[in-house]
Amino acid sequence: MKMRSAQKIQPDWWSKTFVGLFLGLSFAFACSALITMWGIEHIDRGVAPQLGMWSIPWIWCPLFFIAYFIPRGWQAFLLYLGLNIIAYSLVFWLRR
């Protein structure tokens, strides 16, 4: 009997690269803004922007890496687009 996986990872690496590059970076920017907004109220006002700025690569690099493990490029696009919509909705909702 042949072993079969549920879904094979497709070789559409171009679309996954662009999704991880642009939508992953966009999501990292939104998370950075959320971290900065939280930090301004809870830690020193001079440290909060630095914490937000230096959190971008720590968020973006794993997202860029994870994009290749999503089975298809369009699924990665929809997932990252949904994450961006949620993150930017929070940013605009929490702004003063």
Side-chain angles (χ1 to χ4, degrees):
M1 190 162 151
K2 198 182 207 182
M3 296 283 293
R4 221 178 106 190
S5 65
Q7 278 187 326
K8 273 189 166 177
I9 295 176
Q10 300 296 319
D12 53 352
W13 61 274
W14 278 105
S15 60
K16 293 176 186 179
T17 300
F18 287 121
V19 166
L21 184 68
F22 295 113
L23 290 179
L25 184 61
S26 174
F27 181 72
F29 285 154
C31 289
S32 171
L34 290 169
I35 290 169
T36 303
M37 286 190 291
W38 172 83
I40 287 175
E41 294 183 10
H42 293 89
I43 58 176
D44 185 27
R45 292 182 72 85
V47 175
Q50 290 293 317
L51 182 64
M53 178 184 69
W54 289 105
S55 68
I56 292 173
W58 291 99
I59 297 168
W60 179 45
C61 288
L63 287 172
F64 192 53
F65 174 74
I66 290 169
Y68 292 105
F69 289 100
I70 298 172
R72 292 185 178 89
W74 63 269
Q75 291 173 334
F77 177 77
L78 290 178
L79 178 67
Y80 280 34
L81 184 65
L83 287 173
N84 273 293
I85 289 170
I86 291 168
Y88 278 103
S89 297
L90 280 172
V91 168
F92 292 124
W93 182 59
L94 294 174
R95 275 180 35 184
R96 294 180 193 203

